[in-house]
Each structure stands twice: as structure tokens, then as C-alpha cells.
Amino acid sequence: MIEAAGQARPIYRLAAIPGDGVGPEVLAAGRSVLQASAAAFGFELEWTELTVGGAGIDAHGLAIRPEDVQACAAADAVYLGAVGGPKWDDPTSPVRPEQALFALRGDLGLFANLRPVTIHPGLTAASPLRPELLHGVDLLIVRELTGGLYFGARTEASGPAGSRSASDTLPYSDAEISRVVRLAFELARGRRHKLTSVDKANVLATSRLWRRVAVEVGSDFPDVELNHQLVDSCAMQLVKGPAAFDVLVTENLFGDILSDEASVLAGSLGMLPSASLGSRRTAHGLHGLYEPIHGSAPDIAGRDLANPIGAILSGAMLLRWSLGQADAAAAIERAVAVALDDGFRSADLWPGDGLPTAGLNRVGTAGMTRAIVDRIAIRRAAPETVAARDR
Ligand code: IPM
Ligand code: MG
């Protein structure tokens, strides 16, 4: 970015939550890529690091403290690695790392979770699906994030074995449905104008309400084709014909399940980013939380094995949605694509047995991050090189 001499560089304030397992490694990777893009595009990032998740339980006895939520609310955006791990897995414990996610999602009003699935052409060998099925796949799952079973009233099992029962409830109001469906329509309008609303309307009352509301909101979007699909059938279509989908919108638990399924299309769960957005605007964009969709992967933590791309692409989403830095976001996405074009592969992206590996370069978390950072620097240098040559 070319700036007039003396013009102040914008400064953005970000909250960083490294979390547990591979979270700290992938978040450090993402932060170094964001720093490189800040240097290239002329803005500054100020970080506040928070100890949250299992790490928060160890440090403070709580997955997240009210002051941590407040620090996240005060930041322009929140950047998160992953939380959770076997150390804190006791189902009877009153404190669990995942409580941090629910507190952030609920208290910050982050009702929409965007999970884009695109496929780099060089990675089709890493997916168990046939390459011809993957051709043209470019879909966006919009998952409702602050309602349904995750936030409904529940009763834990109690009493003697043999007479225990437990319950979870799945409530939705029309206001909760319409705000996320409206956002999905708006996103579809910026893409291929197709929206699939996923429900279980043949069984669930909330799904029947979801369908009615989707149709009502749809009357404001005559240019977007709305389809309804039952979640079981959608799960099948996602692997039988994924290229047919554009934007999908669905309730919390269906979206959780379908997005893990869809990640298989991209070759690895490690590739996929996410943005969790609400309706609150800051001076720069929508307030939001950004995290890779993979979990804390404790089995590979601390071994330089984790694929940082999901975290890095989440950083690109952060720039686009929360900071209004669309060019810097696109530069990161391009740098990731070029690093993959140039053959860099983390362990999860390495082709299966017997498939060709000529021209590929196996790297760890740090090596992949360096490859991507280097490719941002190249983009930055390019215009100067041209200018120097022309002079
Ligand atoms: C996700 C995760 C979380 C969820 C877990 C860790 C509670 O699976 O973000 O998809 O179910 O929402
Ligand atoms: Mg999940």
C-alpha cells in the first residue's frame, strides 16, 4: 500500500487465545503471517494474549474469566488456536475447556459461524474422494452458533444406575433464525446466488419454523435460489455431489457435524478456517472471532506437525471481516495457494501410499509458515521491482 508521507498507519487491537494442544503452535504461525501482511500493507497490530481453555483451568481454575471475555469484547477481533484435551476431559468435572468457546460465542453475540470449503487443485490426492467429484467445489457453511441444543436447557443424568435419564432441548425463536438466514442470503448474493437451508422438518418443530422463516426472509432476496434439504440427505449429497452447493445455512449441531464432514473435501481438517460473527460493528468492521475448525489435536501437539493453514486462513478472514483489510486478506490467501503450488506439504497433506510425491516438499508447522510468509514478502516486493526497473 502506498501512503502519503507522514500519514498515520492504522493500529488494530487483537485478542490472542493460543489455548491448548496444537493451538499455541498454529496461532503463533497465524500471528507471524498477520505480522508479515501488516508490514506489507502498512498497518499495525497490537496483541493482548489471554490464557483461556484448559490453560485457563490450570492457571485460574476457570476455562475463561469475565475479564477475559471483556478483553475480547474490547478488541477489534479475537484470534483463537484451539481449546481442550484429554487432561481436562473428565465429563463429571464442573469446569471444561469448551466452556470458554460457549462463553465467547454467547456473551459476544457471535451468532453466525462461517466455514468456507475450497479445494486447492494440488490437494485432491489428499482427499479420499475421487478427484472428479471435487472439481468445482466451492461452498460456504453458515452455522447458527448461539442457539439450539448447545444453549438450550439441559438436565444432567442423576440417580441410581438403571433409572437415570438426561435431557437436552433444542429451542429456536424466529428472530434467531431470521438473522442468520438473512446473513446467509446476503453472502449467497455475493457468490453464486444459491442457498441451501438444511433442517429436519419431517421430525422437528424447530426445523419447521426454520423452513417457514427461511421462506419469509427469502422474499427479500428474489435473486437468490432457495432450496430446503433434510440434513440426512444433505450429509449424503455433500460426498456424492459437493460441487452442487454454494451457501448452506443450518442450525448449530447440524452445522457442527456437516462442517467436519465437508472438511474431508479439502483434503484435511487442518485446511479449514472459520469466522464467528455477530452484528456489532467496531470502527473497522464486524466484531468477530476467528479460529481454525480443527481441534487441539493433543496427539501431535508440540511436535511441529500441525498444519497451520486453517489458522492462517482464519487470519485472512479476520483481516477481511473485522479490519476491512480485504487486499491483505487476499494476499494471504494467494500466498497459501502459491506455497501449495510450489509443493510445500504438511504431514496431513502428504499423498497416500503409492501416489506420486515428485516435486513435493514435506514441511512442519514452522516450514509451512515460513513458505507462506516468504510468499507474502514476494508480493510486497513485486510492485517496487517493477517501479525500479521502469525508472
Ligand atoms: C467446533 C467444535 C466445538 C463445537 C466443540 C469443541 C465444543 O467442534 O467449533 O466445531 O462443537 O462447536
Ligand atoms: Mg465441530
Side-chain angles (χ1 to χ4, degrees):
M1 189 165 106
I2 298 163
E3 283 180 351
Q7 188 180 317
R9 293 151 66 89
I11 301 178
Y12 305 115
R13 290 175 311 148
L14 301 180
I17 300 180
D20 311 312
V22 298
E25 293 161 73
V26 298
L27 202 75
R31 281 177 63 166
S32 60
V33 172
L34 282 176
Q35 286 305 143
S37 77
F41 286 82
F43 56 88
E44 282 176 37
L45 300 173
E46 255 175 36
W47 296 92
T48 303
E49 192 162 313
L50 303 170
T51 305
V52 162
I57 293 175
D58 289 351
H60 316 292
L62 283 176
I64 189 162
R65 300 168 302 167
E67 57 264 46
D68 299 321
V69 177
Q70 241 150 44
C72 290
D76 292 318
V78 185
Y79 195 29
L80 188 146
V83 299
K87 181 174 172 194
W88 309 279
D89 256 359
D90 175 4
T92 64
S93 168
V95 287
R96 289 187 305 281
E98 294 75 15
Q99 289 163 338
L101 295 178
F102 307 139
L104 287 168
R105 292 170 183 176
D107 295 355
L108 301 178
L110 305 174
F111 63 81
N113 181 225
L114 277 47
R115 298 187 164 184
V117 180
T118 53
I119 298 176
H120 186 276
L123 295 184
T124 51
S127 171
L129 269 76
R130 291 198 309 275
E132 63 269 27
L133 284 176
L134 299 174
H135 184 73
V137 170
D138 176 8
L139 59 88
L140 172 64
I141 296 178
V142 181
R143 168 188 176 192
E144 201 290 326
L145 203 59
T146 52
L149 282 163
Y150 281 67
F151 287 83
R154 72 180 97 249
T155 55
E156 295 293 338
S158 63
S163 55
R164 287 167 297 185
S165 69
S167 71
D168 299 282
T169 56
L170 198 174
Y172 268 112
S173 68
D174 54 2
E176 285 175 307
I177 299 168
S178 68
R179 64 184 178 182
V180 70
V181 169
R182 182 167 294 279
L183 176 66
F185 267 110
E186 280 161 6
L187 291 165
R189 192 169 252 177
R191 295 170 47 104
R192 301 198 307 280
H193 296 251
K194 279 170 62 177
L195 178 62
T196 306
S197 173
V198 182
D199 62 40
K200 188 69 184 173
N202 53 350
V203 179
L204 302 174
T206 42
S207 283
R208 289 187 283 274
L209 176 63
W210 187 284
R211 231 176 235 223
R212 279 213 300 278
V213 172
V215 170
E216 287 159 18
V217 175
S219 66
D220 291 340
F221 297 86
D223 53 322
V224 176
E225 178 195 325
L226 170 67
N227 290 300
H228 305 278
Q229 195 162 42
L230 296 173
V231 63
D232 45 354
S233 151
C234 178
M236 181 177 66
Q237 290 304 327
L238 269 175
V239 286
K240 272 185 77 181
F245 292 102
D246 180 11
V247 180
L248 296 93
V249 64
T250 190
E251 67 92 34
N252 207 340
L253 184 65
F254 296 163
D256 178 46
I257 298 168
L258 293 179
S259 58
D260 267 33
E261 184 192 2
S263 76
V264 172
L265 307 168
S268 164
L269 195 58
M271 291 296 295
L272 293 197
S274 81
S276 301
L277 305 171
S279 47
R280 187 161 74 80
R281 294 205 156 266
T282 68
H284 314 293
L286 274 178
H287 189 255
L289 178 148
Y290 302 83
E291 57 178 320
I293 85 158
H294 63 69
S296 59
D299 50 321
I300 59 164
R303 295 165 55 199
D304 193 39
L305 280 174
N307 181 351
I309 293 179
I312 289 168
L313 292 176
S314 301
M317 294 184 89
L318 183 158
L319 293 177
R320 179 173 291 119
W321 284 94
S322 285
L323 305 186
Q325 291 283 349
D327 290 347
I332 291 178
E333 288 158 353
R334 236 173 7 240
V336 167
V338 176
L340 292 168
D341 287 344
D342 290 347
F344 292 92
R345 295 287 185 276
S346 47
D348 56 318
L349 302 177
W350 199 250
D353 276 349
L355 292 166
T357 57
L360 298 185
N361 182 0
R362 191 164 177 146
V363 285
T365 313
M368 182 64 95
T369 306
R370 243 187 336 268
I372 293 165
V373 165
D374 287 350
R375 280 151 184 81
I376 288 174
I378 289 169
R379 300 297 305 192
R380 174 178 42 156
E384 285 156 24
T385 314
V386 173
R389 201 188 49 214
D390 289 349
R391 241 185 270 131

